[in-house]
Amino acid sequence: MTTPKRALITGITGQDGSYLAEFLLQNGYEVGGMVRRTSSLNVERLASVLDKIKIVPGDLLDVASLVEAVKTFAPTEVYNLAAQSFVTTSWNQPEFTADVTALGVTRLLDAIRIVNPEIRFYQASSSEMFGKVREVPQSELTPFHPRSPYGVAKVYGHWITLNYRESFDMYTCSGILFNHESPRRGLEFVTRKISHQVARIKLGLAKELRLGNLDAKRDWGFAGDYVKAMWLMLNQDQPADDYVIATGETHSVREFCEVAFARAGLNYENYVVIDEEFFRPAEVDLLIGDPKKANDKLGWKPEVSFVDLVEMMVDADLEYCSSQI
Ligand code: NAP
Ligand code: GDD
């Protein structure tokens, strides 16, 4: 009999954490989800798996809790998805963002190094590291130029992950993931803000949608596709490596609005209002990734198209908002 694999996921209460937990359970894993203490438990996204996972207390700001989490759950793989992940908040709370999103990675790597350096480690790096892009499309070899305190913190997390691989011979991988969305996306991110408000407008609960820069372009994929790439990275016979995960297509926020409103039979031009409040001190104008390495070496490719993703999100929000009336 083979011993089951055990995965500890930090950030399990977030969008990606919930999809990854479902995927790993389907693949025979025992799953532990690290959750920080809050005044009320935030596990809505985990509804379908809550009775199948083990909740492990821990906080990226507290190394003792991380050592304890790794020691007690004894994982074979750790997926570090926890972060202060909203770019706008990173300008209001730059020090906190650095503490969680940058130094938190070192704390977790050290906990693993101390408890069991054989554990395989995945770091959630980001296309936000490319920022003011140096080449189009962006690949694993494109230099970084982050444009937000969040992006800067992710660059640190990326390099410390490589450094622990090179310094301590640990199996640490960094996935440079481009934007990925789903009906479980937080309401503050632009895609979910749009799909949710389209549903409210359609149902007569709202009259307008206030947005910032409609010309920003992103390479948007489906979160359910992207968590498979995380798992593939940690389950290779070849040495640990870093991979860009993207669709290779880019679309503007305006295009996202166009498709989302059209799905509800509406014209976005009649509802979208430009509001200075949602512009950023420094913008990332264009992201488009080159997923060739992941395709060639991991056999990974995205399955959900841009239009299908937008329509999936609008349909889910129409159902969700109708159920709230
Ligand atoms: P998300 O929905 O914002 O989830 C973030 C998670 O981190 C939540 O579970 C949150 O817990 C947890 N967390 C925050 N601070 C913590 C702390 N101090 N200790 C422990 N847990 C903490 O993010 P996501 O969209 O799933 O993204 C997952 C990861 O991928 C993040 O690192 C993000 O930066 C990165 N990433 C995301 C994308 C994307 O497009 N989604 C692209 C590239 C990289 P609470 O529920 O308690 O707040
Ligand atoms: N959030 C938001 N709200 N964004 C807006 C709005 C608005 O009202 N109006 C326009 N935008 C533009 C932003 O200026 C940005 O250019 C784009 O929409 C996408 O913004 P977000 O959805 O907030 O995502 P992000 O690209 O800044 O960051 C996400 O993707 C990164 C990967 O590239 C997050 O998930 C990060 O955690 C992730 O690393």
Side-chain angles (χ1 to χ4, degrees):
M1 205 177 86
T2 51
T3 326
K5 287 193 169 182
R6 293 170 69 78
L8 180 65
I9 304 173
T10 75
I12 196 162
T13 56
Q15 170 188 258
D16 291 6
S18 65
Y19 282 106
L20 181 63
E22 287 167 10
F23 174 79
L24 293 174
L25 286 167
Q26 280 158 15
N27 283 279
Y29 275 70
E30 288 174 3
V31 174
M34 199 187 83
V35 175
R36 58 179 167 164
R37 196 265 161 189
T38 46
S39 63
S40 53
L41 204 54
N42 159 27
V43 289
E44 296 85 7
R45 294 184 176 105
L46 297 172
S48 70
V49 294
L50 202 50
D51 58 344
K52 300 182 193 78
I53 62 177
K54 169 119 181 85
I55 298 290
V56 180
D59 194 312
L60 281 192
L61 295 176
D62 186 306
V63 75
S65 74
L66 299 176
V67 170
E68 195 57 24
V70 174
K71 212 187 263 178
T72 54
F73 188 72
T76 51
E77 295 167 16
V78 170
Y79 295 84
N80 183 34
L81 309 187
Q84 189 305 92
S85 74
F86 188 42
V87 171
T88 301
T89 295
S90 78
W91 278 286
N92 301 329
Q93 301 184 26
E95 190 183 340
F96 174 75
T97 300
D99 211 352
V100 179
T101 305
L103 281 180
V105 188
T106 305
R107 293 189 190 100
L108 185 54
L109 282 164
D110 256 340
I112 293 169
R113 184 176 64 82
I114 291 162
V115 176
N116 176 8
E118 295 301 310
I119 295 169
R120 293 190 169 198
F121 176 82
Y122 172 83
Q123 167 59 14
S125 286
S126 165
S127 52
E128 189 70 11
M129 300 190 301
F130 296 122
K132 192 169 181 180
V133 299
R134 306 274 183 91
E135 62 180 349
V136 179
Q138 296 86 51
S139 76
E140 294 79 6
L141 300 175
T142 305
F144 300 139
H145 185 148
R147 295 273 279 172
S148 62
Y150 167 82
V152 173
K154 281 289 181 187
V155 171
Y156 175 92
H158 179 79
W159 283 115
I160 201 71
T161 300
L162 264 80
N163 181 260
Y164 271 53
R165 184 196 305 160
E166 292 174 357
S167 305
F168 303 115
D169 201 22
M170 288 165 61
Y171 200 102
T172 65
C173 297
S174 174
I176 307 175
L177 270 53
F178 282 62
N179 299 49
H180 45 281
E181 319 294 315
S182 74
R184 298 184 200 165
R185 189 56 143 148
L187 284 165
E188 67 274 41
F189 299 95
V190 77
T191 55
R192 183 76 199 289
K193 182 174 170 181
I194 296 168
S195 64
H196 186 249
Q197 196 68 347
V198 164
R200 295 187 72 239
I201 291 171
K202 181 70 181 173
L203 295 168
L205 302 171
K207 290 193 163 31
E208 62 181 27
L209 167 60
R210 304 187 83 81
L211 292 174
N213 181 10
L214 296 191
D215 297 320
K217 290 182 147 184
R218 291 290 181 276
D219 181 329
W220 278 300
F222 171 53
D225 288 343
Y226 284 42
V227 298
K228 292 179 196 158
M230 300 175 185
W231 172 78
L232 282 167
M233 283 180 221
L234 291 200
N235 285 275
Q236 296 301 308
D237 292 333
Q238 56 203 347
D241 208 344
D242 310 311
Y243 297 88
V244 158
I245 301 298
T247 69
E249 267 185 41
T250 193
H251 299 274
S252 65
V253 174
R254 187 186 308 280
E255 277 174 86
F256 196 104
C257 288
E258 212 171 324
V259 178
F261 276 89
R263 180 67 171 176
L266 304 169
N267 180 345
Y268 84 97
E269 288 172 307
N270 297 331
Y271 301 97
V272 171
V273 176
I274 303 301
D275 187 334
E276 286 298 318
E277 184 189 333
F278 299 108
F279 282 82
R280 296 177 174 182
E283 179 62 287
V284 172
D285 295 314
L286 165 71
L287 290 176
I288 175 166
D290 176 1
K292 187 174 183 312
K293 181 175 168 186
N295 191 210
D296 290 350
K297 293 201 163 180
L298 304 177
W300 178 87
K301 59 176 186 334
E303 286 174 15
V304 177
S305 72
F306 172 71
V307 171
D308 287 349
L309 173 66
V310 180
E311 294 185 345
M312 176 204 303
M313 292 178 72
V314 172
D315 292 353
D317 270 322
L318 279 167
E319 198 179 319
Y320 170 72
C321 292
S322 305
S323 73
Q324 302 290 301
I325 298 175

